Amino acid sequence: MKKVIVIGAGASGLMAAYSAAVNGNDVLVIEKNEKAGKKIYITGKGRCNITNDISPEDFLPNVVSNRKFLTGAIYRFSPERLMRFLEEGGLHLKTERGGRVFPLSDKASDVTACLLRYCQNAGVDFHFNERAEKIEFNDSTASGIITDKSRYSADAVIVCTGGVSYPATGSTGDGIRFAKEAGLKTVTLRPALCGIACRMSGLEDLQGLSLKNVRVSAYEEQKCVSSFFGEMLFTHFGVSGPAILSMSSEINRRDIKKIRLQIDLKPALEPSVLDKRVLRDFEKYANKQMRNALVDLLPKKLIIPVLRQCGCDAELPVHSLTKEKREALVQTLKGFTLQVVSLRPIEEGIVTAGGVDVAEIDPKTMRSKRHEGLYFCGETLDVDAYTGGFNLQIAFSTGYAAGNSIR
């Protein structure tokens, strides 16, 4: 039997603790918050998007950073295996659009309760309201931790402290600090799955407008570096919504100020087909002003910004519009442009990109290659994925890999 200390009682920490305990180890979880799973409670808007009901082969393309590193962990503890594990633990599940898996009750608290039952039945001990401050070493082997209340010896220490997103949940970068103090390389932390601040004349007038079935592309100079089809939302700072969140994870390692966004407002229509559609509308509204001739084509809030961007006078009678201006209008409909200013602050990101460099970690066990008995899981690692349950699955799979390897 080994003495195992898990720092953090989030998704990866609870899974690591249970997996280590069922192997016959003596497991203690140190959690700075007053309860377990504080970030789990806010995921999926309080419903908890646990995972995505797809095969490992289909799961991995949704990983943005270090997909290869995660391959073994995702195959060993797959979405299907996680779902079966939770169902056997008394948590009833349902699968919604896009393969997103939620508790049938729509209560994130039920997910945490299920994981806690597993841990408690396996004999895991919990210390809440206690902050881990330092990991101790005997030569190059982790030998215990020091907290704000006591010192604990251990044969293994598993760091599951998350990133720095949503710091109110306790994710304040402790794991990254532990890694640096142990001499491990880390990758700069960046916001992921976050909104994008933009600049455009009249952008404030679009606040609250939601667009569905559009294609958003990010360009760095003339090169398209990311493209997503789906939903987006205009906000007080710029844009957000599912397509934007996923895009933020792909552009967060680039020079953001060189990025511009182009929104294809009519992705199902080729330019020539869209031009014919515009002509039909203009015939219908021939005696109207331009501001009133696009009501069948665009949301009302978007008409003036589109006309402004393509250089069309909103008061111009439709019958006076030149062919060149019509072509400019079609071009704008296929590429409404926003200049990116920045990503939203890292504290607002759904997850944190960056973290412990995976070159420092054994992908089979999540153990540090430099130190015996030291493990890192979940968001402390430089791994992240798109929205849709993928990041929580990564937390569960890496937690399982670490806990299960300690025997």
Side-chain angles (χ1 to χ4, degrees):
M1 176 190 292
K2 292 184 177 180
K3 174 66 177 178
V4 180
I5 294 177
V6 178
I7 307 176
S12 63
L14 292 172
M15 183 59 73
Y18 169 75
S19 301
V22 294
N23 282 340
N25 297 303
D26 180 10
V27 181
L28 169 64
V29 177
I30 302 292
E31 169 56 53
K32 66 166 70 169
N33 289 312
E34 73 284 0
K35 61 182 179 181
K38 204 160 184 180
K39 191 171 181 181
I40 292 175
Y41 283 95
I42 65 170
T43 61
K45 298 180 180 178
R47 297 172 60 217
C48 190
N49 183 187
I50 303 163
T51 186
N52 200 287
D53 188 11
I54 53 177
S55 67
E57 294 91 338
D58 292 329
F59 183 100
L60 289 166
N62 291 281
V63 177
V64 178
S65 304
N66 297 306
R67 182 180 305 162
K68 184 177 180 181
F69 171 83
L70 285 170
T71 299
I74 296 298
Y75 270 90
R76 284 191 294 274
F77 197 76
S78 65
E80 186 275 333
R81 187 168 177 186
L82 171 63
M83 292 167 65
R84 187 170 69 248
F85 172 80
L86 294 173
E87 290 269 13
E88 290 173 353
L91 183 69
H92 299 299
L93 305 175
K94 62 179 177 179
T95 301
E96 298 186 357
R97 180 174 57 88
R100 291 170 168 82
V101 178
F102 295 88
L104 185 62
S105 64
D106 281 331
K107 294 180 179 179
S109 58
D110 288 347
V111 179
T112 304
C114 177
L115 295 168
L116 281 172
R117 283 196 300 273
Y118 267 118
C119 287
Q120 290 160 355
N121 290 340
V124 176
D125 190 19
F126 287 86
H127 286 194
F128 294 108
N129 293 308
E130 187 166 357
R131 181 186 302 272
E133 295 184 340
K134 183 179 180 181
I135 298 174
E136 295 191 300
F137 295 90
N138 183 2
D139 293 327
S140 61
T141 300
S143 59
I145 70 168
I146 297 174
T147 74
D148 58 350
K149 295 182 178 180
S150 189
R151 171 184 265 121
Y152 303 90
S153 61
D155 300 298
V157 176
I158 309 177
V159 180
C160 304
T161 53
V164 294
S165 302
Y166 294 105
T169 65
S171 299
T172 53
D174 294 344
I176 312 305
R177 175 172 60 82
F178 294 148
K180 289 180 177 179
E181 290 172 352
L184 276 63
K185 295 178 182 177
T186 61
V187 177
T188 302
L189 301 181
R190 297 175 174 86
L193 298 181
C194 65
I196 300 177
C198 297
R199 182 176 63 250
M200 185 200 78
S201 177
L203 183 62
E204 64 278 1
D205 297 329
L206 296 175
Q207 183 175 340
L209 175 63
S210 177
L211 300 178
K212 295 183 179 181
N213 302 319
V214 296
R215 178 162 290 281
V216 187
S217 300
Y219 283 84
E220 192 172 54
E221 296 179 347
Q222 301 306 310
K223 182 181 179 182
C224 180
V225 295
S226 180
S227 186
F228 286 90
F229 177 84
E231 300 178 25
M232 62 168 289
L233 171 71
F234 288 94
T235 71
H236 67 285
F237 58 77
V239 288
S240 188
I244 299 298
L245 295 179
S246 291
M247 176 171 286
S248 71
S249 293
E250 289 201 345
I251 64 174
N252 60 9
R253 299 182 193 229
R254 296 181 176 272
D255 186 345
I256 294 298
K257 293 185 178 180
K258 291 183 178 179
I259 301 289
R260 71 181 189 280
L261 303 183
Q262 287 192 187
I263 307 167
D264 186 344
L265 298 165
K266 299 294 174 182
L269 302 178
E270 293 296 323
S272 60
V273 177
L274 179 57
D275 186 49
K276 291 177 182 177
R277 164 69 194 277
V278 169
L279 277 171
R280 288 198 303 272
D281 281 11
F282 285 178
E283 288 173 5
K284 179 180 178 181
Y285 298 110
N287 296 319
K288 299 280 190 179
Q289 294 175 320
M290 286 296 297
R291 66 163 60 241
N292 298 316
L294 298 174
V295 292
D296 296 341
L297 199 63
L298 292 172
K300 186 176 180 180
K301 276 188 175 184
L302 200 52
I303 292 174
I304 296 300
V306 165
L307 290 173
R308 185 185 295 124
Q309 193 166 116
C310 72
C312 291
D313 183 354
E315 310 303 322
L316 183 73
V318 171
H319 58 73
S320 299
L321 188 72
T322 64
K323 179 182 178 182
E324 290 74 23
K325 286 295 185 182
R326 192 184 78 243
E327 289 174 348
L329 172 61
V330 170
Q331 185 176 3
T332 301
L333 292 171
K334 295 295 289 181
F336 185 68
T337 302
L338 303 171
Q339 182 60 48
V340 172
V341 175
S342 66
L343 298 180
R344 291 297 287 172
I346 196 167
E347 294 81 6
E348 294 182 17
I350 294 175
V351 296
T352 303
V356 180
D357 191 330
V358 297
E360 298 274 8
I361 305 297
D362 180 344
K364 291 184 178 180
T365 63
M366 302 299 140
R367 183 179 67 79
S368 163
K369 293 178 180 178
R370 298 186 186 216
H371 301 286
E372 289 288 338
L374 179 61
Y375 301 76
F376 290 87
C377 302
E379 217 173 326
T380 58
L381 297 168
D382 180 25
V383 293
D384 64 282
Y386 299 135
T387 183
F390 302 104
N391 289 286
L392 263 183
Q393 177 67 50
I394 290 171
F396 289 126
S397 294
T398 55
Y400 173 82
N404 189 57
S405 70
I406 301 172
R407 299 174 183 273

